[in-house]
Amino acid sequence: MNVPADLRFNTSHEWVRLEGDIATVGISDHAQEELTDVVFVELPAVGRAVDAGDPTAVVESVKAASDIYAPIGGEVVEVNPEVEANPALVNTDPYGAGWIFKLRVKNAADVESLLTPEAYVAQIS
């Protein structure tokens, strides 16, 4: 299972990469494996304000549709049109080209409340 050491994770399987005050969000390798083939991604509107835990996007696979929750609060500043055009990117490159949205975070310190890679591995083991 691929769990990059430079990310933080939500208990609901979203990952976060914080760069300055921008958090990139996607779903974990474990989550994409559980969903199987992703066939549709519903992206949030740019400019939408979200709080931690808000359903912000939807990923639909051949198996199920799942809400993607905002791991931390902020404003959606960018979405990934590549995953809308090619949802399989969530499966093939979940931590790279398969990112879903970016947030300008309200409080960067909130990232510290998310799971470390080690804690996330313990959760999914």
Side-chain angles (χ1 to χ4, degrees):
M1 187 65 49
N2 184 11
V3 180
D6 64 331
L7 303 179
R8 289 295 186 121
F9 295 85
N10 203 3
T11 56
S12 52
H13 308 288
E14 293 85 4
W15 58 262
V16 174
R17 178 178 292 119
L18 186 63
E19 296 167 297
D21 64 345
I22 302 297
T24 303
V25 178
I27 65 170
S28 71
D29 189 34
H30 171 78
Q32 68 80 22
E33 278 192 18
E34 291 292 312
L35 284 169
T36 66
D37 296 333
V38 174
V39 295
F40 179 76
V41 177
E42 181 181 316
L43 299 170
V46 172
R48 179 179 165 194
V50 295
D51 291 320
D54 283 353
T56 304
V58 176
V59 173
E60 188 174 326
S61 71
V62 295
K63 189 175 175 183
S66 297
D67 286 329
I68 306 302
Y69 299 97
I72 54 179
E75 177 186 348
V76 177
V77 293
E78 187 176 349
V79 295
N80 185 355
E82 299 297 322
V83 297
E84 192 170 46
N86 182 9
L89 289 173
V90 173
N91 295 114
T92 59
D93 193 8
Y95 300 116
W99 66 274
I100 297 173
F101 58 89
K102 294 185 179 186
L103 296 172
R104 182 176 315 281
V105 299
K106 290 180 187 172
N107 183 357
D110 290 347
V111 171
E112 298 302 317
S113 67
L114 298 173
L115 297 173
T116 63
E118 295 80 13
Y120 184 67
V121 167
Q123 177 187 303
I124 62 176
S125 297

